[in-house]
Amino acid sequence: MKSGRPKSSKAGEGNDLAPMTAQRRGQIVELVHGRGSMRVVDLAARFGVSEVTIRSDLDQLEGEGRLMRDRGGALPSGQTRTVTTLPGMELRAGLNVDSKRRIAAAAASRVASGSSLLLDAGTTVVEMVRHLSRVNGLTIVTNALNVALAATASTDARVMMLGGVVGGDSGSTLGSMAEGMLKDLLVDQLFLGAQAADLENGLTDTNVEIAQIKRAMMKSARRVTLLMDSSKWETSGFIRVAPMTSVQTVITDEGLATEARQALENLGIEVVVV
């Protein structure tokens, strides 16, 4: 009887481990999809386990198709660090929501009454518009349908919509008509979104027309402010938009690595972390 007790206890311990592991992995999936990415070191600290254990969890979850491994962490399933497609608007709006809200609020706080703004078609930019309701006398130029509607509904700004063909994925006007209108404009500030960015390649995208309209916007603004959550840093599309030195300010979240922040500041770019 005595010799059987240790075996029984061991078996019980083994049965307890499986539910704990399954629960942890389920929470990891929720975190990755909710925040857009998670690092191994952060997950290990959060769950009080080793990085080896977390890597094993991520390998298993990737095998099940529940997320994708990335350098030093994981991404939601269907997203890769080398960006090849533009995620749908609903999917993008649901990624890194907390970070986007903080970035949007910080961006809006830098807008002065009576200024002219050029607003890109990005989910963070839409969020920013909601914070402009108390800023008077603005002129807002945009190619984004949702930005134009939000600005009309929540601000007293004069809203100008760029013409052109509406892109289904971006919900924005694109093409030569929109670019032609931009040639006649000079605005105080451009608030720009980015699909991907890194030091070597600068801002990149996966859609030729979107890349072209972003370039035209940058030429029409006295100051360019990039609104970019940290998950987009060190990613790359296959179409170059502009070098990082074309941007004067980057507003991002605390997930941006210290080395990346220093590298941007070394280029003379103001980095605002929120």
Side-chain angles (χ1 to χ4, degrees), residues 8-90:
S8 174
S9 175
K10 236 178 204 181
E13 289 173 4
N15 290 337
D16 288 340
L17 282 175
M20 289 173 63
T21 301
Q23 182 181 32
R24 182 179 66 247
R25 289 176 178 174
Q27 291 175 0
I28 288 172
V29 172
E30 291 178 5
L31 284 167
V32 170
H33 282 265
R35 299 190 179 186
S37 66
M38 286 295 294
R39 296 187 301 167
V40 169
V41 62
D42 294 330
L43 289 169
R46 185 182 186 93
F47 292 103
V49 297
S50 69
E51 293 184 18
V52 172
T53 297
I54 292 297
R55 290 191 185 95
S56 176
D57 288 341
L58 297 183
D59 287 340
Q60 179 64 33
L61 292 169
E62 182 177 47
E64 295 171 3
R66 299 171 68 186
L67 51 72
M68 296 188 69
R69 287 299 311 272
D70 179 45
R71 293 172 295 176
L75 298 166
S77 54
Q79 183 178 347
T80 62
R81 297 301 281 182
T82 300
V83 185
T84 57
T85 59
L86 179 66
M89 291 180 67
E90 290 184 4

Side-chain angles (χ1 to χ4, degrees), residues 18 35 79 154 256 272:
R35 299 190 179 186
Q79 183 178 347
S154 60
L256 184 70
V272 179

Side-chain angles (χ1 to χ4, degrees), residues 16-237:
D16 288 340
L17 282 175
M20 289 173 63
T21 301
Q23 182 181 32
R24 182 179 66 247
R25 289 176 178 174
Q27 291 175 0
I28 288 172
V29 172
E30 291 178 5
L31 284 167
V32 170
H33 282 265
R35 299 190 179 186
S37 66
M38 286 295 294
R39 296 187 301 167
V40 169
V41 62
D42 294 330
L43 289 169
R46 185 182 186 93
F47 292 103
V49 297
S50 69
E51 293 184 18
V52 172
T53 297
I54 292 297
R55 290 191 185 95
S56 176
D57 288 341
L58 297 183
D59 287 340
Q60 179 64 33
L61 292 169
E62 182 177 47
E64 295 171 3
R66 299 171 68 186
L67 51 72
M68 296 188 69
R69 287 299 311 272
D70 179 45
R71 293 172 295 176
L75 298 166
S77 54
Q79 183 178 347
T80 62
R81 297 301 281 182
T82 300
V83 185
T84 57
T85 59
L86 179 66
M89 291 180 67
E90 290 184 4
L91 173 59
R92 286 183 285 137
L95 294 175
N96 305 313
V97 175
D98 291 339
S99 295
K100 289 177 180 178
R101 286 174 178 167
R102 294 196 304 273
I103 292 168
S109 71
R110 302 168 76 86
V111 175
S113 296
S115 57
S116 56
L117 310 178
L118 184 52
L119 302 183
D120 186 26
T123 54
T124 308
V125 178
V126 178
E127 187 68 33
M128 172 189 170
V129 171
R130 299 187 178 99
H131 296 277
L132 295 176
S133 59
R134 298 181 183 179
V135 186
N136 299 320
L138 295 176
T139 297
I140 294 177
V141 183
T142 185
N143 70 324
L145 300 177
N146 54 359
V147 171
L149 289 171
T152 302
S154 60
T155 75
D156 67 355
R158 179 190 182 198
V159 180
M160 297 175 59
M161 184 78 194
L162 297 175
V165 178
V166 178
D169 289 335
S170 65
S172 60
T173 53
L174 306 168
S176 58
M177 185 180 295
E179 293 166 30
M181 291 180 68
L182 285 167
K183 290 180 181 178
D184 295 326
L185 300 177
L186 180 59
V187 300
D188 295 320
Q189 291 194 75
L190 163 62
F191 290 91
L192 186 72
Q195 188 178 353
D198 62 39
L199 280 175
E200 181 179 357
N201 301 300
L203 307 182
T204 54
D205 210 288
T206 58
N207 181 297
V208 172
E209 290 183 312
I210 291 176
Q212 289 173 338
I213 195 73
K214 286 181 185 291
R215 289 190 208 107
M217 285 180 168
M218 296 174 86
K219 291 177 181 178
S220 298
R222 293 186 174 92
R223 185 175 187 85
V224 179
T225 298
L226 178 65
L227 309 184
M228 181 189 74
D229 66 78
S230 58
S231 70
K232 296 179 180 179
W233 183 250
E234 294 299 345
T235 66
S236 179

